[in-house]
Amino acid sequence: MTKQVLKSHRWLIWFFICFVLGGFIILTSEVREALAGEKEWIGTIDQQLLAFVVGHRTPALNGVAIDFTALGSAAGLSTLILFFCAFFFLDKKWPLILHMLLAVAGAGGLTAALKSYFERSRPDISLRLVDVQGFSYPSGHSLASAAIYFTCAILVARHFRELPARLTIWVFFLALIAIIGLTRIYLGVHFFSDVLAGIMMGMAWASLVEIGMGHLGERFRWNTRI
């Protein structure tokens, strides 16, 4: 990759980060106003979407939602991370291990910090299909899934030069992130705004890690390809 292409690539990532963080700030402002009792569009969407999914639950969909939401759980993500890190370890790709661990650590730190700061209550317990604890905003499942699966997409897509292959990888991982987020709403443990905020922050963090690792790769001449 030439320096000119690399520079253009980074500007696109920075634009994406600014766009996503801007969306998070606007969304958070609307959520806080809605929580203060003001009639905001996001509060209406949160309530109507949650009511819609609750009203269309079926035993079959309940099982599917529980299975898919497990892909964003601590156990599910830990299994994926261990697999990737073991693969990188055997191939002696230390920078890629660092890349993944930074994505994981940041996702965990952001989730804890943001939940403690906003302290938003989850949907009413009578609407939940699974037992969960803690605050609601942003969705930790969505944030962690977005950060880690987005990072996986970045690392795996580098291995392919053909555009169709790269697009397939991106579509797969982005769809997985979206599905996991939707299951949190379906299960009644999060509002739409919780999920959207988590996805935006997770993607922003993964993108920041990508930029940081790119700079380190140039400085230390690391091989950042799988």
Side-chain angles (χ1 to χ4, degrees), residues 53-177:
V53 298
V54 168
H56 289 79
R57 286 172 176 165
T58 66
L61 284 177
N62 294 350
V64 171
I66 291 172
D67 288 341
F68 270 101
T69 209
L71 296 176
S73 67
L77 292 176
S78 295
T79 301
L80 177 71
I81 293 160
L82 286 173
F83 171 80
F84 265 80
C85 288
F87 178 81
F88 297 150
F89 177 80
L90 293 174
D91 206 28
K92 298 182 179 180
K93 297 292 178 61
W94 318 119
L96 299 183
I97 295 177
L98 177 61
H99 192 143
M100 180 62 75
L101 293 180
L102 285 174
V104 173
L110 280 171
T111 297
L114 292 172
K115 281 182 178 290
S116 297
Y117 180 76
F118 293 110
E119 296 187 344
R120 184 186 194 182
S121 298
R122 293 181 184 270
D124 189 88
I125 193 170
S126 63
L127 302 176
R128 306 177 199 171
L129 287 181
V130 292
D131 183 32
V132 290
Q133 304 296 325
F135 296 115
S136 187
Y137 189 88
S139 164
H141 250 71
S142 301
L143 197 158
S145 297
I148 294 169
Y149 286 119
F150 202 76
T151 297
C152 289
I154 290 172
L155 298 179
V156 175
R158 286 181 188 160
H159 186 66
F160 299 89
R161 297 187 180 276
E162 299 80 9
L163 182 60
R166 289 190 172 192
L167 286 176
T168 300
I169 291 165
W170 278 105
V171 168
F172 171 78
F173 282 108
L174 291 176
L176 195 55
I177 292 168

Side-chain angles (χ1 to χ4, degrees), residues 10-95:
R10 284 188 182 149
W11 272 112
L12 286 173
I13 298 177
W14 275 118
F15 175 80
F16 176 74
I17 291 171
C18 291
F19 176 79
V20 171
L21 289 180
F24 176 80
I25 291 170
I26 294 171
L27 177 65
T28 300
S29 175
E30 295 292 317
V31 168
R32 299 193 77 164
E33 290 179 8
L35 291 175
E38 298 184 31
K39 189 172 179 58
E40 297 293 336
W41 61 271
I42 192 62
T44 301
I45 292 176
D46 280 344
Q47 296 298 332
Q48 291 183 349
L49 184 56
L50 185 58
F52 176 82
V53 298
V54 168
H56 289 79
R57 286 172 176 165
T58 66
L61 284 177
N62 294 350
V64 171
I66 291 172
D67 288 341
F68 270 101
T69 209
L71 296 176
S73 67
L77 292 176
S78 295
T79 301
L80 177 71
I81 293 160
L82 286 173
F83 171 80
F84 265 80
C85 288
F87 178 81
F88 297 150
F89 177 80
L90 293 174
D91 206 28
K92 298 182 179 180
K93 297 292 178 61
W94 318 119

